[in-house]
Amino acid sequence: MSLYDPQIGFSASAPLALWFGNENRGLSREAIDAMDLLVSIPMQGLVESLNLSVSVGVVLAELLRQRRYADGQDETLAFQLSPKEQAKLVRVFAH
């Protein structure tokens, strides 16, 4: 299924695990069998694959876009960190 398929409908509140395979071997059969949904990034032209970091960026950007507009939230990010949570992360990772 394409990452951009409107039937995917990521929920802003549902738990989500993302698995990414590398360019050479992809994901194991065991990993694929454990998934509820397998999506791919549509490719055009002569490109056969994307670098893993590029793939992660594309998927996260689309996930954010879909979650931003999920459940009629429009511009509101229902899963955005509170100021208190943000400050805690800054304390933990900035030192």
Side-chain angles (χ1 to χ4, degrees):
M1 176 176 283
S2 167
L3 173 65
Y4 303 107
D5 191 316
Q7 294 180 6
I8 292 177
F10 292 113
S11 169
S13 59
L16 177 68
L18 301 173
W19 296 4
F20 294 89
N22 68 31
E23 292 179 71
N24 293 330
R25 288 180 254 153
L27 292 166
S28 70
R29 171 57 38 203
E30 182 180 38
I32 292 170
D33 290 344
M35 294 178 184
D36 294 324
L37 179 66
L38 178 65
V39 298
S40 62
I41 300 170
M43 307 299 290
Q44 293 184 4
L46 301 175
V47 178
E48 292 181 11
S49 66
L50 297 173
N51 174 284
L52 181 61
S53 64
V54 173
S55 297
V56 170
V58 168
V59 170
L60 292 178
E62 178 60 14
L63 177 62
L64 179 62
R65 185 192 71 77
Q66 288 190 27
R67 284 190 166 195
R68 178 173 285 164
Y69 298 103
D71 305 322
Q73 297 274 341
D74 292 328
E75 299 284 331
T76 305
L77 296 176
F79 58 92
Q80 192 169 23
L81 295 175
S82 71
K84 184 177 179 179
E85 292 168 318
Q86 291 175 23
K88 180 180 178 182
L89 288 175
V90 168
R91 283 193 308 275
V92 170
F93 293 106
H95 296 97

